[in-house]
Amino acid sequence: EVYVRRLCQEKVRAGSESLRLRNLPLFPVLAAETVLVFNGQILRKPVNANQAADMLRQLSGHEHQVLSAVAVALGNRTEVALSVSKVRFAKLSEDRISRYLRSGEYAGKAGAYAMQGLAGAFVEHLAGSYSGVMGLPLSETVELLQRFDYPTP
């Protein structure tokens, strides 16, 4: 939790600094960061298909956590919210993993999958936020924007 919050705060600070350096009008800056945790270890984005396959084998038949932090900054004020979700994968055969890897969808995805893509079919159970697993927890985002009196749906 500390790690994902810190990364998110660094992103929102960088965005706010970019506004300041460009002399742009003061607007809310939003940033998000998502990490996947399995057995106490953060699973990052795989560097290749072999690493992606290893990650999917680890997740196969097991539950993992997806932590998504979202931050809003306006001027000197920053607020951060955290979404924690639990995802359980079905048991994945080697053939199923191989077919998924051929899609290339794993590239650039923490834990080698995107819930909103083909790997959504791997998910047996989700407890928490679907949008948080995708990378931007919408409920928390709206809540933060409301704290800044920013119009929301």
Side-chain angles (χ1 to χ4, degrees):
E1 288 183 19
V2 171
Y3 175 72
V4 73
R5 284 179 187 271
R6 180 177 55 79
L7 290 179
C8 188
Q9 287 174 322
E10 288 173 6
K11 281 184 175 182
V12 83
R13 270 191 232 108
S16 294
E17 183 65 8
S18 180
L19 282 180
R20 188 188 69 74
L21 291 173
R22 294 176 180 174
N23 292 317
L24 294 172
L26 189 63
F27 284 103
V29 175
L30 186 140
E33 181 66 40
T34 300
V35 298
L36 189 145
V37 180
F38 178 71
N39 283 342
Q41 299 291 319
I42 293 172
L43 295 186
R44 302 185 191 285
K45 298 172 185 176
V47 296
N48 56 40
N50 289 335
Q51 192 177 50
D54 289 343
M55 288 179 183
L56 293 170
R57 286 183 197 106
Q58 288 178 51
L59 298 175
S60 175
H62 295 98
E63 184 176 275
H64 60 276
Q65 280 190 320
V66 178
L67 289 78
S68 288
V70 61
V72 174
L74 181 60
N76 293 326
R77 180 178 166 206
T78 300
E79 301 243 1
V80 181
L82 182 68
S83 167
V84 179
S85 301
K86 292 181 181 178
V87 179
R88 185 177 63 241
F89 268 23
K91 186 76 175 146
L92 304 176
S93 68
E94 284 299 315
D95 183 56
R96 195 168 181 194
I97 290 171
S98 183
R99 282 193 317 259
Y100 175 72
L101 294 175
R102 284 194 298 272
S103 76
E105 185 177 273
Y106 68 88
K109 307 292 189 292
Y113 81 94
M115 174 109 161
Q116 67 274 25
L118 297 171
F122 299 165
V123 177
E124 273 188 341
H125 182 76
L126 166 66
S129 169
Y130 179 81
S131 62
V133 174
M134 287 187 358
L136 181 64
L138 296 179
S139 178
E140 289 81 355
T141 300
V142 168
E143 178 187 322
L144 286 177
L145 290 170
Q146 288 173 344
R147 289 186 207 167
F148 283 85
D149 295 323
Y150 201 77
T152 58

